Amino acid sequence: MTDAKRKTGLYWAVTAVSAVALILLTIFLPQGFWLGLPTFFGGLVMAMDWV
C-alpha cells in the first residue's frame, strides 16, 4: 500500500467555506440549513483524514 499525499489544506478550506455558508443559511434562510450539512461534514471528515 502506498502512502498518497492528501490535500488536507484544501479540505479544511472546503470545511471553512461551508461553515460560513451554513451560518449565513441559518440567519437568512433557515429552511436551507439542511442543504449545507453534507458539504460541511464531508469536508470535515476528509480534513480530519477519517476516510
Side-chain angles (χ1 to χ4, degrees), residues 10-22 25 32-47:
L10 175 67
Y11 299 143
W12 279 115
V14 167
T15 305
V17 168
S18 62
V20 170
L22 258 173
L25 279 171
F33 170 77
W34 302 104
L35 296 174
L37 286 180
T39 307
F40 175 75
F41 284 115
L44 182 65
V45 165
M46 290 189 301

